[in-house]
Amino acid sequence: MAIDTNIELTDAGDPSAFLIEPPRSRTKRTGRKSRTNFEMLAWLFMRLSGIVLVFLVLGHLIIQLLLDGGVSKISFAFVAGRWASPFWQFWDLLMLWLAMLHGANGMRTVINDYAERENTRFWLKVLLVTATVFTVLLAAWSSSPSTHNQLSAGRTRQPTVMQVHKYDTVIVGAGGAGMRAAIESTKRSRTAVLTKLYPTRSHTGAAQGGMAAALANVEEDNWEWHTFDTVKGGDYLVDQDAAEILAKEAIDAVLDLEKMGLPFNRTPEGRIDQRRFGGHTRDHGQAAVRRSCYAADRTGHMILQTLYQNCVKEGVEFFNEFYVLDLLLNEVDGQTRTAGVVAYELATGEIHVFQAKSVIFASGGNGKFFKVTSNAHTLTGDGQAAAFRRGLPLEDMEFFQFHPTGIWRMGILLTEGARGEGGILRNKHGERFMEKYAPVMKDLASRDVVSRAIYTEIREGRGCGLDGDHVYLDLTHLPPEQLDAKLPDITEFARTYLGIEPYTDPIPIQPTAHYAMGGIPTNVQGEVLKDNDTVIPGLYAAGEVACVSVHGANRLGTNSLLDINVFGRRAGIAAAEYAATADYVELPENPAAKVVELLEGIRTGTGEERVSDIRSELQQTMDTNSMVYRTESTLKQAVADIHALKERYKNISVMDKGKRYNTDLLEAVELGNLLDLAEVTAVSGLARKESRGGHFREDYPTRDDVNFMQHTMAYREVDADGKDSIRLDYKPVVVTRYQPMERKY
Amino acid sequence: MWVDYQLTVDPKIRVLDAINTVKWEQDGTLTYRRSCAHGVCGSDAMRINGKNRLACKTLIKDVNPEKPITIEPIKGLTVLKDLVVDMDPFFQAYRDVMPFLITTGNAPTKERIQSEEDVQRFEDTTKCILCAACTTSCPVFWNDGQYFGPAAIVNAHRFIFDSRDEGAEQRLEILNDREGVWRCRTTFNCTDACPRGIEVTKAIQEVKRALVTRRF
């Protein structure tokens, strides 16, 4: 069904909006305590007088009814007779006085509000004074003129060609990893955080289920089991030294967040509560274990808010809506070192060069090249693309996680915690199909296993709905109180977006593109590698943009909130300590040239191709050819489609040619990043002729540890004609405790 | 200045999807903020048919598509371009209430103990996503940009009633100000506007009571 609708939008695009309404800013408020106590008294008086008035009036009426036998007797003579009694005289006078004062005080507050309007202030003040004189009791406290908006304050923006800033440490991205790093590095070095959004808009806030740590608050657990689960979950492509650090430092990471103020759900003893999650087991796979520390189904939101709160506390310097477009490297004595980054200020269209001793990329994932995805519009792999274009490798990009439970067609995430709380996946016959695929862990098997199971059900004709293209997440057997307390947000999503009541009806779901296991390769200190083992001094990465690799071929649920905290902190400390000893690297000549060329190329482009068309075709081909099931032919199709789209991308044009808040231009740049990264994903996947974790090849359905137990390293090569291609290399996996075994849940 | 756009859409899509369609197909210069598209990031608070809402949490069918849907920027903050407003005063008010846990003494080795009842006292206000829908629906804020506004008070409430926090007195002094909680006229616009269902007005009243009784 479709309907015609008319949307009207205000368009304040012209700059005169600035002149009509100058920016508001807040002035410092001091020395107003005497007025304040008056306001408090006035508020108290309002409440008390209101309550007493109600009692007086009701009392009068009730006594009248009781003593005098009904309302019908009320007459003027009757009331006049009453007034002979001093008691009733006092009663009614008090009533009258209170009513007057209550009204006068109310008037005063209203007038006070209007008196603050700059244009009519004088006359209202006259009225105010008259009003206060009129109410005798309040005359003593006459109202003073108040401050109003400071017109001159606020940012004034003088467009210039390029601004250069100098910081010890620059952090790109203000999600969980970026802000965790910022909290550490601000204490140790002069730090700037650049984000293309506002920090609290970051997609860490969309994470729901929890953060794993073997606290053993509710049942026996230890970090070694957690390490094993992480390695097994990642289908043995995990670097085991990194996984061990992740699991060990998880405990302090959770406790640190609690000390920063994060409101975790609690056990009856008042300790941090924990719940079950996919792939987390006791004693190497014996049974599910309660390891995920959580705050209802909004753990990511709480982590993001808590980290931002602590950034405010530490005085972290943010550059909001600064979009980093390029990484600056320079050769010093034959060694590649970090010089800084180039950013585009969204508000003004200005180019800023940030010279820095160390740079941390924490810019998040790149899931927006899929159509059905839980990723935000803004997750376009900007950090990965910037590094890749500067010749740095991208590791394991073929491994992309599909979360089993996204809202049907929309892809909005419904947490695995729903199954941790007892939710069950059912096909169209109402069968609990996960019993077939994972006899021990059932619905709590790892995400790649569950997503494949869902698609198998759908392909074999057991999907639900008219098209048979989804299955159900059934929460109806759980008590409504449990859903309200533990899963309030996702039940609300079901109501808002599907019109479904989860108390009584199952929720239609399908796997949704969720998380990039791959990214910029780093070591366990967060230092970026430029090949299999050489680090680039001063360059760091943490969070989804990075590949440590703790997630291997498939990330366990709750391990990403852990990853950002553990490796965000490590990168923050390492970067600041490096900056304390290192010198600035000289900026390359004309540092912003590449960015200016890119932006002006798009801005002045006159081609006929539209950004949104290319983007939706890219998403379509990735969904069709590079999702849960892949084969040689689908991946080849994806590569061919992407190449064709990249050709068309050269002929795009944007409608918005302006400088201020040009999001049209921004979306075009983001599409360029997505195209590059989608190509890396498909090309890496094509070369990996085995099935492992999130990468499942129907033509090679088993894991091949002989040939492919190694990380893919993809490099961008540019030949003499300026044509670029992708070169693949491989890096060995670090194995310490656990030899590869068959993976069963 | 109003611009009319006409489009045919499925009534079950979000208003944000409709705006995206306009931007992608009709007018690339249309500018607004958006990110997560499911009501957790707080980027796309707008005035839709005269009411503050998140464009990504409002479906077309819920705003009477028979008539033109009007979309304006949120009120009380300077409009920079189309639906983009200057958020700096809003975040400044937030920073002014010291929105972080204040503790004294040595931190415990493990976590601080807190009962589930103590968590429940401030649980409602932890849901805030700082979208500014409440603050920009407040008539007092429209009149006077100096007022802290509901969102800042909600975030102060979140810490004042946290049993682990020791900075409540300082925060209450900040809010015991002409531009603080006493400016609230209990209009309930904020509670209506909140996309997260926070009882904003109630939280403000609780802060007022805490100021009178000094119990929190």
Side-chain angles (χ1 to χ4, degrees):
Chain A
M1 182 177 59
I3 47 155
D4 253 353
T5 187
N6 217 350
I7 294 192
E8 291 186 349
L9 290 129
T10 57
D11 189 350
D14 81 42
S16 61
F18 255 130
L19 306 175
I20 300 162
E21 203 179 354
R24 281 177 162 181
S25 72
R26 298 172 50 75
T27 51
K28 197 107 181 129
R29 293 162 305 268
T30 46
R32 291 189 161 272
K33 288 305 156 210
S34 58
R35 296 275 325 149
T36 296
N37 289 335
F38 170 75
E39 291 290 342
M40 189 205 283
L41 285 173
W43 179 76
L44 260 181
F45 174 78
M46 280 301 270
R47 307 217 93 191
L48 289 175
S49 62
I51 293 165
V52 173
L53 252 177
V54 170
F55 274 108
L56 288 178
V57 173
L58 281 181
H60 198 139
L61 285 174
I62 289 166
I63 291 170
Q64 182 131 8
L65 287 173
L66 288 180
L67 293 185
D68 304 310
V71 193
S72 57
K73 288 236 182 121
I74 299 175
S75 66
F76 180 73
F78 173 79
V79 175
R82 265 290 188 66
W83 266 63
S85 144
F87 172 76
W88 286 111
Q89 274 178 17
F90 175 71
W91 184 295
D92 284 2
L93 266 176
L94 190 63
M95 218 162 81
L96 202 66
W97 264 104
L98 273 178
M100 272 179 65
L101 288 177
H102 188 82
N105 196 18
M107 285 297 290
R108 187 193 63 83
T109 56
V110 172
I111 290 166
N112 228 348
D113 285 352
Y114 281 89
E116 309 244 331
R117 275 194 176 168
E118 55 254 30
N119 297 338
T120 48
R121 210 167 127 245
F122 176 73
W123 291 107
L124 276 166
K125 254 168 41 186
V126 171
L127 191 66
L128 183 68
V129 172
T130 322
T132 38
V133 168
F134 185 72
T135 53
V136 183
L137 244 169
L138 293 177
W141 310 324
S142 88
S143 183
S144 69
S146 49
T147 53
H148 60 92
N149 308 331
Q150 299 292 309
L151 301 182
S152 57
R155 291 180 298 182
T156 51
R157 294 188 165 110
Q158 294 295 329
T160 52
V161 181
M162 186 184 90
Q163 295 186 25
V164 180
H165 310 256
K166 230 172 164 177
Y167 284 87
D168 291 335
T169 308
V170 163
I171 299 175
V172 182
M179 291 205 282
R180 190 67 189 81
I183 289 169
E184 299 300 333
S185 77
T186 297
K187 290 174 189 164
R188 298 171 170 86
S189 68
R190 189 159 172 268
T191 302
V193 182
L194 316 186
T195 164
K196 73 170 171 178
L197 305 163
Y198 276 78
T200 57
R201 313 300 184 220
S202 306
H203 214 51
T204 297
Q208 296 168 353
M211 174 168 165
L215 295 182
N217 275 1
V218 286
E219 59 188 20
E220 190 190 353
D221 197 4
N222 67 58
W223 63 259
E224 192 272 320
W225 295 350
H226 186 183
T227 311
F228 172 77
D229 289 338
T230 303
V231 172
K232 182 184 169 191
D235 221 348
Y236 297 91
L237 196 70
V238 173
D239 284 335
Q240 298 182 8
D241 55 340
E244 192 168 314
I245 288 171
L246 183 81
K248 263 188 199 166
E249 295 190 2
I251 295 162
D252 276 340
V254 168
L255 296 179
D256 281 350
L257 283 172
E258 198 283 332
K259 285 167 198 165
M260 288 183 199
L262 199 140
F264 282 108
N265 277 50
R266 301 284 174 159
T267 64
E269 299 82 46
R271 308 184 63 188
I272 297 170
D273 198 8
Q274 296 184 280
R275 67 177 165 206
R276 294 187 184 93
F277 233 82
H280 289 284
T281 66
R282 65 189 311 280
D283 199 8
H284 313 95
Q286 298 302 317
V289 74
R290 293 172 64 179
R291 187 179 287 150
S292 158
C293 310
Y294 66 101
D297 57 354
R298 43 179 91 103
T299 318
H301 163 78
M302 298 300 187
I303 288 178
L304 188 70
Q305 296 291 330
T306 302
L307 291 176
Y308 184 57
Q309 288 154 4
N310 281 273
C311 284
V312 171
K313 186 179 182 178
E314 300 291 340
V316 173
E317 200 172 337
F318 286 103
F319 287 80
N320 297 326
E321 299 185 323
F322 273 61
Y323 184 27
V324 171
L325 290 169
D326 197 12
L327 164 69
L328 299 175
L329 301 170
N330 214 347
E331 297 285 323
V332 181
D333 307 328
Q335 188 190 32
T336 309
R337 286 178 57 188
T338 312
V341 294
V342 184
Y344 170 78
E345 187 185 4
L346 208 48
T348 58
E350 278 173 44
I351 307 288
H352 297 254
V353 172
F354 286 80
Q355 190 179 10
K357 295 176 187 172
S358 50
V359 169
I360 306 175
F361 271 103
S363 50
N366 53 277
K368 211 54 199 174
F369 55 54
F370 289 101
K371 187 171 141 204
V372 177
T373 174
S374 64
N375 282 209
H377 285 292
T378 42
L379 288 175
T380 50
D382 309 321
Q384 292 93 321
F388 185 60
R389 288 188 191 139
R390 284 290 176 190
L392 304 187
L394 294 178
E395 183 177 346
D396 288 343
M397 290 293 282
E398 65 271 35
F399 295 103
F400 206 94
Q401 179 166 78
F402 298 90
H403 194 288
T405 54
I407 287 183
W408 176 46
R409 287 184 177 164
M410 301 181 92
I412 295 171
L413 179 69
L414 299 179
T415 175
E416 199 167 313
R419 283 169 284 141
E421 294 290 337
I424 293 171
L425 295 170
R426 294 188 192 281
N427 61 20
K428 78 170 177 188
H429 304 304
E431 291 162 348
R432 184 178 191 180
F433 59 84
M434 279 313 296
E435 284 173 339
K436 282 185 294 188
Y437 303 91
V440 178
M441 295 295 283
K442 298 188 179 90
D443 298 279
L444 285 176
S446 71
R447 288 176 177 173
D448 57 330
V449 174
V450 182
S451 286
R452 270 197 297 280
I454 292 173
Y455 267 118
T456 307
E457 291 296 305
I458 290 173
R459 285 173 151 204
E460 292 176 0
R462 294 188 293 277
C464 308
L466 290 175
D467 299 332
D469 61 351
H470 58 273
V471 297
Y472 286 131
L473 172 63
D474 185 3
L475 303 174
T476 54
H477 55 290
L478 301 176
E481 310 80 61
Q482 188 185 350
L483 294 184
D484 290 347
K486 302 289 179 68
L487 303 166
D489 276 7
I490 64 152
T491 47
E492 197 194 316
F493 292 156
R495 289 181 197 116
T496 307
Y497 297 111
L498 293 167
I500 278 175
E501 177 49 68
Y503 295 162
T504 53
D505 295 303
I507 307 167
I509 55 104
Q510 74 178 91
T512 178
H514 187 55
Y515 186 90
M517 266 75 75
I520 302 173
T522 72
N523 62 18
V524 293
Q525 305 305 334
E527 293 171 292
V528 172
L529 302 169
K530 75 170 181 179
D531 52 38
N532 283 4
D533 37 39
T534 321
V535 299
I536 298 176
L539 188 59
Y540 301 80
E544 192 175 342
V545 69
C547 180
V548 183
S549 139
V550 286
H551 306 310
N554 170 64
R555 173 175 70 77
L556 287 188
T558 67
N559 265 1
S560 67
L561 288 179
L562 185 55
D563 179 13
I564 58 175
N565 278 287
V566 169
F567 290 101
R569 175 175 167 276
R570 283 179 155 251
I573 294 172
E577 283 178 352
Y578 173 80
T581 55
D583 291 325
Y584 283 104
V585 173
E586 204 181 322
L587 288 171
E589 204 178 324
N590 211 349
K594 212 175 126 197
V595 170
V596 172
E597 187 192 345
L598 171 78
L599 292 174
E600 289 312 310
I602 297 173
R603 202 199 307 269
T604 56
T606 53
E608 310 213 312
E609 295 290 348
R610 222 160 46 181
V611 169
S612 60
D613 293 341
I614 299 179
R615 184 175 46 215
S616 64
E617 282 177 46
L618 171 69
Q619 292 170 341
Q620 195 60 55
T621 187
M622 290 302 278
D623 265 23
T624 315
N625 298 315
S626 187
M627 223 177 156
V628 172
Y629 286 108
R630 301 165 172 179
T631 65
E632 175 110 15
S633 65
T634 63
L635 287 169
K636 276 189 171 156
Q637 183 63 47
V639 174
D641 288 349
I642 294 163
H643 283 158
L645 292 171
K646 281 178 93 166
E647 280 306 308
R648 286 171 59 190
Y649 179 74
K650 291 175 184 161
N651 287 320
I652 54 163
S653 62
V654 293
M655 284 192 226
D656 196 340
K657 310 284 186 194
K659 289 255 179 201
R660 298 176 49 232
Y661 284 102
N662 192 339
T663 53
D664 208 17
L665 181 67
L666 191 75
E667 287 190 21
V669 175
E670 289 172 337
L671 175 62
N673 295 343
L674 287 178
L675 284 166
D676 280 359
L677 298 174
E679 188 186 1
V680 178
T681 301
V683 168
S684 305
L686 197 53
R688 185 174 282 274
K689 293 178 174 161
E690 63 153 355
S691 290
R692 184 189 292 271
H695 174 70
F696 192 87
R697 289 281 298 261
E698 287 181 275
D699 40 357
Y700 301 94
T702 52
R703 198 174 73 197
D704 178 359
D705 289 333
V706 179
N707 294 310
F708 288 105
M709 180 127 162
Q710 48 189 351
H711 300 289
T712 310
M713 301 285 271
Y715 296 82
R716 179 171 180 262
E717 304 264 290
V718 183
D719 63 18
D721 311 332
K723 241 177 98 59
D724 61 323
S725 59
I726 295 169
R727 175 175 65 87
L728 296 182
D729 193 10
Y730 291 90
K731 187 176 90 167
V733 175
V734 180
V735 177
T736 56
R737 290 166 189 257
Y738 310 104
Q739 288 306 314
M741 290 190 301
E742 197 196 347
R743 186 158 161 262
K744 273 194 202 152
Y745 281 100
Chain B
M1 187 175 79
W2 292 88
V3 181
D4 276 330
Y5 299 102
Q6 199 152 35
L7 61 157
T8 306
V9 293
D10 183 330
K12 290 200 288 286
I13 67 162
R14 298 161 270 202
V15 172
L16 178 65
D17 297 325
I19 301 174
N20 278 337
T21 310
V22 171
K23 181 173 180 71
W24 295 341
E25 291 175 6
Q26 300 185 19
D27 181 3
T29 68
L30 179 65
T31 305
Y32 48 93
R33 293 190 176 105
R34 85 282 178 275
S35 182
C36 78
H38 64 287
V40 295
C41 79
S43 298
D44 60 348
M46 302 171 185
R47 225 167 132 76
I48 301 171
N49 282 358
K51 219 182 139 201
N52 277 10
R53 321 178 200 229
L54 295 182
C56 60
K57 246 192 152 177
T58 311
L59 303 192
I60 294 281
K61 68 183 169 67
D62 299 333
V63 285
N64 188 13
E66 306 298 316
K67 283 194 262 175
I69 300 166
T70 61
I71 298 171
E72 300 160 79
I74 44 179
K75 279 174 82 173
L77 294 166
T78 309
V79 177
L80 299 178
K81 184 177 173 188
D82 296 353
L83 298 166
V84 174
V85 298
D86 181 10
M87 295 294 283
D88 283 357
F90 174 79
F91 278 102
Q92 185 57 48
Y94 168 78
R95 287 193 290 269
D96 282 349
V97 300
M98 301 202 291
F100 38 80
L101 196 73
I102 298 172
T103 55
T104 53
N106 291 332
T109 323
K110 295 204 82 180
E111 71 262 45
R112 291 193 166 79
I113 301 296
Q114 186 172 40
S115 71
E116 192 58 35
E117 292 75 57
D118 282 341
V119 176
Q120 289 309 317
R121 288 191 67 195
F122 65 98
E123 196 263 346
D124 196 39
T125 44
T126 60
K127 294 190 294 197
C128 177
I129 53 173
L130 298 168
C131 67
C134 58
T135 296
T136 57
S137 72
C138 174
V140 178
F141 183 77
W142 294 340
N143 260 327
D144 172 15
Q146 296 295 301
Y147 173 44
F148 275 92
I153 300 172
V154 157
N155 282 282
H157 176 282
R158 180 247 171 277
F159 287 100
I160 291 168
F161 292 92
D162 187 335
S163 60
R164 299 168 294 177
D165 183 76
E166 294 166 44
E169 289 286 350
Q170 295 172 59
R171 267 182 221 105
L172 286 173
E173 273 319 302
I174 292 169
L175 290 174
N176 189 11
D177 183 285
R178 270 218 69 205
E179 309 297 345
V181 283
W182 310 115
R183 250 15 249 279
C184 168
R185 305 284 177 248
T186 43
T187 331
F188 281 91
N189 278 15
C190 47
T191 305
D192 286 346
C194 181
R196 299 284 280 174
I198 300 171
E199 294 178 290
V200 183
T201 316
K202 184 179 166 200
I204 300 174
Q205 292 301 101
E206 282 176 3
V207 174
K208 288 180 188 172
R209 262 182 240 130
L211 263 168
V212 175
T213 61
R214 295 283 161 176
R215 274 212 309 256
F216 34 83

